Amino acid sequence: MYDVLIIGAGGAGLSAALSSKKEGAKVAVLCESYPTRAQTSMAQGGINAALGNVEKDSINLHIEDTLKSSGEIGSKEMISKMCKDAPNTVKWLESIGMPYSRTDEGKIAQRKLGGASSIRACYAQDFTGLKILHTLYDQCLKEDIEFLNEKFLLEFVVQDNLIKGAICLDIRTTETEFIKAKSIIVASGGFSGLYYNFTTNTNQSTGDGIAAALRVGAKLSNMEFVQFHPTGLKKSGILISESARGAGGYLVNEKGERFTDELGPRDRVSRAIFSELENGEVFLDIRHLGEEFIDEHMPQERKLAITYEGIDPVDELIPISPVAHYSMGGICVDENLMSLVEGLFGVGECSESGVHGANRLGGNSLLEILSFGKLAGENSAKFSKSYDYKDAGTKQHDSVKKFIQEIYEYENRENFYENRELLGELFYKKAGIIKEEKALKETLLEVEKMQENYTLMGLGDRSRVYNTNLVEFIKFKNTLTLGKALLVSAIKRKESRGAHFRSDFPNTDENFDHRSFYDEV
Ligand SMILES: Cc1cc2nc3c(=O)[nH]c(=O)nc-3n(C[C@H](O)[C@H](O)[C@H](O)COP(=O)(O)OP(=O)(O)OC[C@H]3O[C@@H](n4cnc5c(N)ncnc54)[C@H](O)[C@@H]3O)c2cc1C
């Protein structure tokens, strides 16, 4: 049995593991893949902290920018907590080996991201997330933290509203396992993978931890707010970071004209591009930055554009399109990062702690996962010491085993992979950058139809060894659960705020100036 079991090995999970271990907890990190493959590794732009290394900045300005970006529905208390801790967090990471890019004076280099009133994002070329993840993982190995790799979270076990452990699928054997724990930190990432083929996210981003938490009584919040990033590569959705515009890149239409403020908030820039796309292609132009600058600061992005778009940004325009990027909503947690279920904590993109509100400021997610990751680790370790564990029995495990067995017996009349693609396109067109009641309701009907037909979309591969078809099928079920939560919440919010834009309610309405909640199972 563990004091602290962490679900997910991204930046949030690994930071939490280090701090709970420091508190003396027996800790393990469970993940469906391997730690260095978490989506955190894809982050390019940077991590915010008001260090003022390049130009004058202050913690108050950071707080103000974050609150403004949140559409005024972020929690001032949580935002202040995170922004005040940012310089410490960035330096803590440096102390364990993070290779930040440097200024000529040897200070941590910083750059400007959209919506920020100062140059604030600390970075490591355009490999910021990758370097963060590797630094944390190295430290976890030094601290001898236990990893349970290739184990897929299925359900949480809860008794009398107290967490008892998690049931997972061993992907290698397809056997299920009940892992007992006195507290659990969900750090399993967001759910923008729902916008399949129209997202910067990986296929792992199906919000499994959020869906499992909902099933055991944790409320979700702000599920209608999904951030679209203005500059995904047109063919693949792969991200070209905001830092390209921060460094002076232009957005231009087919006539070569600039049509918007490139460094406005992501929602505004995405909508401007979306409208412009009706008249033809839109491009990011960074040619004038020069080869030397591009290779120094954006080597990865240049390579991605060459490999996946077939163009070299040094002397060609980059065709782009806005794509789903970040889910602001998730497991609703309190100031201690605990959900409504006792001992079940949530941190990182899977959680809604009040720091992003209706729209996340670029550079604040990496900050949240590290700063609050440490906090979640401390709090869960303390929680686990506060009571004696009583055994939970095997009833819930038996019903999960039965569920897996039943999946093997489902018919395979409909191909769920086709439905997953259909769903991605449907959400992008009808529940994406611009929303409207009729389209949202039509999409909800489609989701409910897919939920009804789930048992007709069984497995094509019925093997018992390393069955990725089984894992993806279960992920698809979670996607449907969260897709419904998104739609129901979006229908209810009859206004426009941050990333949630309703063409039928284009203005902000003070009747909605608060978090929204969702608890339908
Ligand atoms: C391309 C890209 C660029 C970005 N750039 C920036 C940036 O510059 N600055 C910034 O602040 N933010 C950026 N972001 C956002 C930021 O990177 C993420 O929000 C953040 O890294 C999420 O971290 P996390 O630890 O919460 O989740 P993740 O890194 O997504 O990790 C989730 C973990 O959970 C595991 N998991 C998921 N489901 C299960 C399951 N069922 N069972 C077991 N394990 C499971 C995964 O395998 C993974 O280990 C970017 C995002 C993307 C996609």
Side-chain angles (χ1 to χ4, degrees), residues 108-362:
I108 294 174
Q110 295 186 281
R111 62 183 163 206
K112 190 149 183 158
L113 298 182
S117 54
S118 183
I119 297 178
R120 186 177 296 141
C122 311
Y123 62 95
Q125 290 185 297
D126 56 358
F127 298 106
T128 313
L130 185 81
K131 302 286 181 190
I132 288 178
L133 200 61
H134 280 258
T135 303
L136 292 171
Y137 185 49
D138 281 355
Q139 194 65 17
C140 286
L141 294 179
K142 272 193 211 153
E143 296 292 338
D144 215 12
I145 283 169
E146 186 177 348
F147 283 91
L148 309 171
N149 294 330
E150 297 196 303
K151 300 210 189 267
F152 178 77
L153 167 78
L154 292 166
E155 301 291 351
F156 295 117
V157 177
V158 170
Q159 226 172 36
D160 300 326
N161 201 40
L162 177 66
I163 197 75
K164 292 288 171 181
I167 298 167
C168 67
L169 182 85
D170 185 324
I171 297 178
R172 286 168 275 212
T173 61
T174 65
E175 294 294 325
T176 59
E177 209 176 311
F178 175 22
I179 303 175
K180 295 179 183 173
K182 292 179 83 179
S183 72
I184 290 188
I185 301 175
V186 193
S188 54
F191 60 92
S192 295
L194 167 63
Y195 293 81
Y196 196 80
N197 284 339
F198 296 88
T199 176
T200 59
N201 284 207
T202 68
N203 296 348
Q204 282 182 28
S205 303
T206 45
D208 305 326
I210 309 175
L214 176 70
R215 288 192 288 268
V216 292
K219 252 190 202 165
L220 310 185
S221 44
N222 286 356
M223 292 297 287
E224 63 275 38
F225 296 110
V226 174
Q227 180 175 81
F228 281 73
H229 199 291
T231 53
L233 288 178
K234 190 178 158 220
K235 288 185 195 158
S236 59
I238 288 173
L239 183 75
I240 299 296
S241 163
E242 206 158 69
S243 55
R245 281 170 287 134
Y250 303 136
L251 289 171
V252 294
N253 59 20
E254 281 189 348
K255 292 183 202 146
E257 295 161 346
R258 290 170 71 184
F259 54 89
T260 187
D261 166 14
E262 281 88 355
L263 281 176
R266 287 180 180 171
D267 58 308
R268 211 149 14 92
V269 182
S270 290
R271 278 200 299 280
I273 297 174
F274 201 61
S275 307
E276 198 64 34
L277 281 170
E278 284 176 11
N279 308 319
E281 280 198 88
V282 173
F283 305 92
L284 177 65
D285 186 0
I286 57 169
R287 293 172 298 177
H288 52 290
L289 301 182
E291 186 163 11
E292 198 184 327
F293 181 91
I294 292 171
D295 281 345
E296 166 75 26
H297 296 277
M298 310 171 202
Q300 181 183 196
E301 286 152 282
R302 181 179 183 188
K303 218 172 192 172
L304 289 170
I306 293 171
T307 311
Y308 294 98
E309 200 67 34
I311 63 104
D312 186 346
V314 165
D315 41 39
E316 288 170 282
L317 294 172
I318 313 171
I320 50 104
S321 169
V323 276
H325 182 57
Y326 184 88
S327 40
M328 268 75 72
I331 304 166
C332 181
V333 291
D334 64 15
E335 65 282 6
N336 298 313
L337 307 177
M338 188 147 78
S339 72
L340 276 187
V341 176
E342 295 248 347
L344 184 66
F345 294 78
V347 71
E349 197 172 335
C350 69
S351 69
E352 199 284 295
S353 63
V355 289
H356 305 306
N359 205 4
R360 175 181 71 93
L361 197 63

Side-chain angles (χ1 to χ4, degrees), residues 4 6 21 41 104 120 164 166 188 209 233 254 267 388 452 511 521:
V4 179
I6 296 166
K21 178 90 191 226
S41 66
D104 290 344
R120 186 177 296 141
K164 292 288 171 181
S188 54
L233 288 178
E254 281 189 348
D267 58 308
D388 291 327
E452 273 166 34
N511 291 314
V521 181

Side-chain angles (χ1 to χ4, degrees), residues 220-510:
L220 310 185
S221 44
N222 286 356
M223 292 297 287
E224 63 275 38
F225 296 110
V226 174
Q227 180 175 81
F228 281 73
H229 199 291
T231 53
L233 288 178
K234 190 178 158 220
K235 288 185 195 158
S236 59
I238 288 173
L239 183 75
I240 299 296
S241 163
E242 206 158 69
S243 55
R245 281 170 287 134
Y250 303 136
L251 289 171
V252 294
N253 59 20
E254 281 189 348
K255 292 183 202 146
E257 295 161 346
R258 290 170 71 184
F259 54 89
T260 187
D261 166 14
E262 281 88 355
L263 281 176
R266 287 180 180 171
D267 58 308
R268 211 149 14 92
V269 182
S270 290
R271 278 200 299 280
I273 297 174
F274 201 61
S275 307
E276 198 64 34
L277 281 170
E278 284 176 11
N279 308 319
E281 280 198 88
V282 173
F283 305 92
L284 177 65
D285 186 0
I286 57 169
R287 293 172 298 177
H288 52 290
L289 301 182
E291 186 163 11
E292 198 184 327
F293 181 91
I294 292 171
D295 281 345
E296 166 75 26
H297 296 277
M298 310 171 202
Q300 181 183 196
E301 286 152 282
R302 181 179 183 188
K303 218 172 192 172
L304 289 170
I306 293 171
T307 311
Y308 294 98
E309 200 67 34
I311 63 104
D312 186 346
V314 165
D315 41 39
E316 288 170 282
L317 294 172
I318 313 171
I320 50 104
S321 169
V323 276
H325 182 57
Y326 184 88
S327 40
M328 268 75 72
I331 304 166
C332 181
V333 291
D334 64 15
E335 65 282 6
N336 298 313
L337 307 177
M338 188 147 78
S339 72
L340 276 187
V341 176
E342 295 248 347
L344 184 66
F345 294 78
V347 71
E349 197 172 335
C350 69
S351 69
E352 199 284 295
S353 63
V355 289
H356 305 306
N359 205 4
R360 175 181 71 93
L361 197 63
N364 267 358
S365 174
L366 291 180
L367 172 58
E368 181 195 15
I369 62 176
L370 298 173
S371 174
F372 284 5
K374 288 185 287 163
L375 192 64
E378 280 162 29
N379 291 346
S380 59
K382 283 180 193 147
F383 181 88
S384 70
K385 283 182 201 149
S386 70
Y387 78 105
D388 291 327
Y389 187 90
K390 292 200 182 62
D391 216 62
T394 58
K395 210 169 124 208
Q396 271 165 288
H397 190 187
D398 291 342
S399 67
V400 173
K401 277 187 199 158
K402 192 162 159 262
F403 167 65
I404 298 293
Q405 186 50 40
E406 278 168 6
I407 289 183
Y408 274 90
E409 287 156 20
Y410 289 167
E411 294 177 59
N412 182 220
R413 276 198 260 156
E414 275 185 40
N415 183 333
F416 85 86
Y417 289 112
E418 283 171 13
N419 281 316
R420 183 172 72 174
E421 291 206 8
L422 203 70
L423 200 71
E425 192 174 349
L426 206 60
F427 268 76
Y428 186 67
K429 290 189 174 152
K430 298 192 167 192
I433 296 166
I434 296 177
K435 306 181 185 113
E436 170 267 320
E437 182 119 356
K438 186 166 165 278
L440 288 170
K441 287 189 168 161
E442 282 166 8
T443 313
L444 183 57
L445 283 179
E446 287 297 326
V447 169
E448 286 171 342
K449 201 163 96 195
M450 285 188 196
Q451 285 181 314
E452 273 166 34
N453 289 350
Y454 186 72
T455 57
L456 305 177
M457 301 178 208
L459 304 177
D461 171 6
R462 290 174 199 272
S463 76
R464 288 281 177 179
V465 180
Y466 220 105
N467 190 336
T468 49
N469 189 201
L470 172 64
V471 172
E472 284 162 354
F473 187 55
I474 300 169
K475 275 182 159 304
F476 180 61
K477 188 168 197 218
N478 288 330
T479 304
L480 293 174
T481 302
L482 299 184
K484 183 169 175 183
L486 187 160
L487 293 166
V488 170
S489 308
I491 291 168
K492 279 192 191 152
R493 188 173 282 276
K494 296 187 193 308
E495 65 153 358
S496 292
R497 186 184 296 270
H500 173 73
F501 185 82
R502 293 267 311 242
S503 56
D504 44 354
F505 296 97
N507 298 318
T508 302
D509 179 344
E510 62 183 21

